[in-house]
Amino acid sequence: MDKLQSFTRFKKACPYLGRTKTSTLRNLSTSSSPRFPSLSALTERATKCPVMGPALNVRSKEIVAGYASVAGNIDVDKIHKEKGVVPPPGATVEMCPHASAARAAARMAEDLAAAAAKKKAPKAAAAEHPKPGAATTKEAAAAAAAAGCPFHQKAAADAKAAAAPPAAAEAKATKSHTGFNYEKFYVEELDKKHKDKSYRYFNNINRLAQKFPVAHTARVTDEVEVWCANDYLGMGNNPVVLETMHRTLDKYGHGAGGTRNIAGNGAMHLALEQELANLHRKPAALVFSSCYVANDATLSTLGSKLPGCVYFSDNMNHASMIQGMRHSGAKREIFKHNDLVDLEAKLAKYPKDTPKIIAFESVYSMCGSIGPIKEICDLADKYSALTFLDEVHAVGLYGPRGAGVAEHLDYDAHLAAGQSGEAIPGSVMDRIDIITGTLGKSYGAVGGYIAGSDDFVDMVRSYAPGFIFTTSLPPSTIAGARASVAYQKHYVGDRQLKQVNVRTVKDKMSALDIPVIPGPSHIVPVLVGDPELAKAASDKLLGEHDIYVQAINYPTVARGEERLRFTVTPRHTVEQMDRLVKAVDQVFTELQINRLADWKRLGGRADVGVEGKPEYVEPIWTDNQIGIADGSVPRTLRNGEKPVVDAKAVSAARNIFNNLLGTVEGKLQANRTVVNAEGGVELVTSTVTTKGEMRKSGVALPIVGRMEGEVSQEAVEASAPSS
């Protein structure tokens, strides 16, 4: 982050920095150059600078010369002996950990030299008429190889062996289309995105399993707090999920092997579908590669097969639903968001025997509103329509077992029914015909699914191209998702604590007049109302406060309703939440972004400051359901405290895999165990590898621990990652 902060100090001195937006500089500094992978895109551009270019060229020569000297003159074997390192048989200098930094420095030096040479002259001219004294990349590498550098010597040999005929290389470089100018078309389309401020910048964010919700950026030493990930409950690093994935990977390997129809239909896939059907108390479920694909494939298949089908779509539906309906070719009627009067008026236009599907969501992720599910079911019954409910931003977060808002609306009844997969007649969830959900948000995995009747699911399975012709998800991913679903079915504490933390952040922001868009869900959208200000606020939070929250602009939201969308998890601490609110308040002040009072004066926007609209909406989770009323509410973590990992839920998640992976007991092993075998080779063992299994494999080694006895809460807590 220091690098980003220093940009502002040099803007006045450097013409390039002065006329370039901070957001662009950030993107360039955190993105690798496509031509020179060891350099950032910003460093590559700096080689063209009349001041920085020569300086970087000199530095590249110093790095190569110094590195070649070290690599050529120091006895590597002597270093290993001094450090107590015994290389295994067959090891090469390229595997030496002590040389990794030097190797990276050498590559960077080469890339700097190449970038400088590219700037000095066109490629052809540089090849035929090199400037006197100008060191090319090849010359720098040759010098290093001559000095004895083992890496450059090997690279030179590889390059010579792989050299292609010059004519072929030249033909490839100069190939162009004589008709339509495709590259110009690409540039013009991108220019449109830049001009309307909708161009998307992707930040390099790498979430750390042992430090959730902390991540590192492109530089592993730069750490930030993540406030916009959809891993709502932190299940992406839950220890029983990771343990299950390790066990599955050891037994079944990585890939699935093909489509479900060919070689990718395994026991793990079938078991997950049964788990999801049970979750929603439906007869069947079907897993897809993502919920985008699930929505698209299902809606396009239904609309194209049902004769004369008409879709009734909420105008704030997700893009995947919109695309699915478009691809079906069926007629669409768009009704105003959550407007039952408008929906009924449109339904009444069609005969009762016309096939109709009402497509809507339970939680709308950008505004935080919740669909009137029960009332839409009433209209569907009245006008003989199917209901298609997207629970993507609700599964895992609502209901006693995490089945979503439809379950939550009959909380007590579903709580009393326990883990039975039988439908509860007359319940809201039972009245919904088709439910879609994701495994990539609250469950911390990847994939999507549909749940409904046996025949409906079988028809989609048999006709949907998005299911039939796609390679199925890997067994380890499927197993991790199933462990996550099972864990959350048996433990409500994560959902409760998330709601507590969401309430805290909303209350603290509202107290500072920060314009939180009111809603009953876990979504915390803060209105900015301008695309450039939203991006600037995101940049400031990241660059100056190490807080990552992505700006949400058009077309995700309407123009003029740009916002920051915060995700509060049960793993965020008291201190992190306080720091977040303070930072947002400071950024709003520095950028002069409208507060709630300003929006009221301007007439309001996006339900913020609008006359007649409530400033506060009662949460769907009641105090009783959270545990506030009886004092059982989970406590918010403080910095350094470990999150709760529930022992009963861990046992439930482990036991469902006994038939496929065998039984496992005792302390959770979310991380792989490293042990030393004979010969000095490090082996990474399975989380359930026994001493007998290791001996059968022909390896003699000390086992560093055994897992014995029943899993206890103490054992679970000892294995939990720290916040």
Side-chain angles (χ1 to χ4, degrees):
M1 291 305 104
D2 291 340
K3 181 169 61 176
L4 295 176
Q5 291 171 347
S6 66
F7 285 155
T8 55
R9 297 201 297 268
F10 299 108
K11 273 183 170 286
K12 293 182 180 179
C14 174
Y16 177 76
L17 293 178
R19 67 172 182 267
T20 305
K21 295 179 182 178
T22 303
S23 59
T24 303
L25 293 172
R26 182 186 69 180
N27 188 51
L28 290 171
S29 68
T30 57
S31 302
S32 297
S33 163
R35 300 180 186 85
F36 313 107
S38 72
L39 306 180
S40 71
L42 186 63
T43 302
E44 182 192 355
R45 295 199 179 195
T47 62
K48 303 175 184 178
C49 172
V51 177
M52 288 298 298
L56 289 171
N57 188 35
V58 171
R59 181 59 181 151
S60 71
K61 295 175 186 176
E62 292 173 348
I63 293 173
V64 169
Y67 166 65
S69 174
V70 171
N73 299 327
I74 292 183
D75 186 350
V76 177
D77 289 336
K78 183 179 179 182
I79 296 177
H80 287 160
K81 290 177 182 178
E82 290 176 353
K83 298 292 183 180
V85 177
V86 180
T92 66
V93 69
E94 292 167 310
M95 298 167 59
C96 173
H98 302 289
S100 61
R103 184 163 61 248
R107 288 170 180 162
M108 179 178 288
E110 287 187 14
D111 283 347
L112 282 169
K118 183 176 181 296
K119 173 252 178 186
K120 286 181 179 180
K123 291 181 180 178
E128 295 181 18
H129 308 289
K131 293 184 179 181
T136 65
T137 309
K138 290 182 179 180
E139 290 170 350
C149 168
F151 304 120
H152 282 93
Q153 287 174 344
K154 184 177 185 303
D158 291 345
K160 184 176 180 180
E170 183 178 351
K172 182 178 180 181
T174 57
K175 180 182 177 181
S176 62
H177 296 281
T178 57
F180 188 82
N181 192 330
Y182 297 100
E183 293 299 325
K184 180 181 177 183
F185 169 78
Y186 304 148
V187 171
E188 289 173 349
E189 289 301 304
L190 288 172
D191 282 344
K192 294 176 185 177
K193 303 294 287 183
H194 284 290
K195 288 176 181 177
D196 70 7
K197 313 302 179 186
S198 66
Y199 183 80
R200 295 174 185 263
Y201 295 91
F202 294 164
N203 288 302
N204 189 333
I205 300 295
N206 308 272
R207 300 186 308 129
L208 298 168
Q210 296 300 314
K211 293 185 177 182
F212 181 91
V214 173
H216 73 71
T217 61
R219 296 174 62 185
V220 295
T221 55
D222 287 346
E223 294 187 352
V224 298
E225 292 171 11
V226 179
W227 285 94
C228 59
N230 285 335
D231 188 358
Y232 287 130
L233 300 175
M235 291 302 293
N237 54 75
N238 181 284
V240 74
V241 171
L242 299 184
E243 177 188 78
T244 302
M245 294 182 73
H246 285 313
R247 296 171 64 197
T248 307
L249 192 63
D250 291 336
K251 183 164 185 177
Y252 295 110
H254 180 210
T259 66
R260 293 285 292 272
N261 185 53
I262 297 177
N265 186 55
M268 287 292 182
H269 299 81
L270 298 172
L272 174 59
E273 288 169 347
Q274 292 172 359
E275 196 77 47
L276 293 167
N278 175 282
L279 174 68
H280 294 287
R281 306 190 198 275
K282 297 291 185 186
L286 191 67
V287 171
F288 292 78
S289 56
S290 74
C291 199
Y292 188 104
V293 175
N295 283 347
D296 185 7
T298 302
L299 290 169
S300 62
T301 300
L302 281 176
S304 63
K305 291 297 180 183
L306 286 169
C309 177
V310 180
Y311 278 114
F312 297 82
S313 175
D314 189 290
N315 70 353
M316 289 187 67
N317 275 341
H318 189 263
S320 60
M321 300 168 71
I322 295 169
Q323 286 299 98
M325 289 181 273
R326 284 176 176 168
H327 290 159
S328 75
K331 185 175 181 179
R332 282 188 303 148
E333 293 277 2
I334 314 299
F335 63 92
K336 298 174 184 176
H337 178 54
N338 282 352
D339 191 326
L340 296 168
V341 174
D342 189 39
L343 172 58
E344 182 166 17
K346 288 177 167 55
L347 285 166
K349 291 163 46 178
Y350 296 88
K352 199 165 185 178
D353 59 356
T354 296
K356 310 174 194 69
I357 301 175
I358 305 173
F360 62 110
E361 301 181 35
S362 58
V363 176
Y364 292 85
S365 63
M366 290 302 146
C367 63
S369 62
I370 289 179
I373 304 175
K374 179 181 180 300
E375 292 77 7
I376 288 178
C377 287
D378 293 339
L379 289 176
D381 290 343
K382 182 177 179 179
Y383 292 96
S384 190
L386 289 176
T387 47
F388 180 102
L389 177 63
D390 179 306
E391 290 259 33
V392 163
H393 287 273
V395 289
L397 299 182
Y398 297 88
R401 300 199 307 160
V405 175
E407 180 189 48
H408 199 95
L409 294 174
D410 297 296
Y411 193 98
D412 292 338
H414 286 285
L415 181 62
Q419 298 303 325
S420 168
E422 295 297 319
I424 300 176
S427 66
V428 174
M429 191 160 68
D430 183 50
R431 297 177 67 190
I432 295 292
D433 297 296
I434 303 164
I435 294 175
T436 69
T438 185
L439 304 169
K441 292 182 170 59
S442 294
Y443 295 126
V446 66
Y449 64 89
I450 60 173
S453 70
D454 282 314
D455 290 336
F456 156 71
V457 168
D458 197 20
M459 194 204 79
V460 174
R461 183 190 68 86
S462 302
Y463 283 98
F467 173 81
I468 297 170
F469 300 106
T470 301
T471 299
S472 61
L473 293 169
S476 58
T477 298
I478 290 288
R482 187 186 176 202
S484 184
V485 172
Y487 180 91
Q488 286 300 327
K489 282 167 66 176
H490 289 83
Y491 181 58
V492 73
D494 287 339
R495 289 188 283 288
Q496 292 173 321
L497 184 52
K498 178 177 176 64
Q499 293 297 322
V500 170
N501 290 350
V502 166
R503 289 188 183 190
T504 299
V505 170
K506 284 185 175 182
D507 290 345
K508 287 180 177 290
M509 286 186 172
S510 296
L512 295 172
D513 212 30
I514 295 171
V516 178
I517 298 174
S521 72
H522 63 282
I523 306 295
V524 186
V526 173
L527 180 65
V528 177
D530 178 270
E532 293 187 81
L533 278 178
K535 194 70 175 66
S538 174
D539 292 339
K540 263 187 168 290
L541 286 168
L542 182 63
E544 298 176 14
H545 300 277
D546 293 341
I547 287 173
Y548 174 55
V549 58
Q550 187 61 280
I552 307 297
N553 292 339
Y554 177 84
T556 306
V557 295
R559 287 190 173 92
E561 296 185 5
E562 294 80 9
R563 63 200 63 181
L564 301 175
R565 176 186 174 274
F566 295 92
T567 297
V568 187
T569 76
R571 298 277 289 278
H572 281 102
T573 65
V574 171
E575 293 83 359
Q576 288 171 335
M577 288 188 283
D578 287 343
R579 206 170 74 82
L580 168 73
V581 174
K582 182 179 179 181
V584 173
D585 182 48
Q586 181 179 332
V587 167
F588 263 62
T589 298
E590 291 172 352
L591 295 179
Q592 299 182 336
I593 299 174
N594 284 341
R595 306 267 180 161
L596 177 58
D598 299 314
W599 287 116
K600 286 180 179 178
R601 189 178 66 256
L602 295 170
R605 189 178 299 173
D607 289 343
V608 171
V610 178
E611 187 175 354
K613 293 282 187 178
E615 293 184 16
Y616 174 80
V617 176
E618 196 70 29
I620 187 173
W621 276 86
T622 67
D623 289 354
N624 285 334
Q625 293 165 351
I626 290 177
I628 293 175
D630 62 8
S632 64
V633 58
R635 185 176 63 84
T636 300
L637 297 172
R638 301 198 74 95
N639 283 349
E641 292 182 339
K642 290 185 176 182
V644 172
V645 180
D646 186 74
K648 291 182 179 179
V650 166
S651 293
R654 279 176 161 181
N655 290 341
I656 60 176
F657 294 96
N658 287 348
N659 64 324
L660 293 176
L661 302 178
T663 59
V664 59
E665 300 173 335
K667 182 180 177 180
L668 279 165
Q669 294 196 24
N671 302 314
R672 308 276 279 179
T673 303
V674 179
V675 295
N676 290 320
E678 291 182 345
V681 181
E682 287 191 333
L683 295 180
V684 184
T685 75
S686 163
T687 55
V688 291
T689 298
T690 65
K691 187 182 294 185
E693 289 170 341
M694 293 299 290
R695 284 174 175 166
K696 285 179 183 178
S697 69
V699 178
L701 71 164
I703 299 295
V704 297
R706 282 179 67 191
M707 295 179 290
E708 297 178 344
E710 293 296 322
V711 62
S712 66
Q713 186 64 48
E714 290 76 15
V716 168
E717 289 175 355
S719 66
S722 58
S723 292

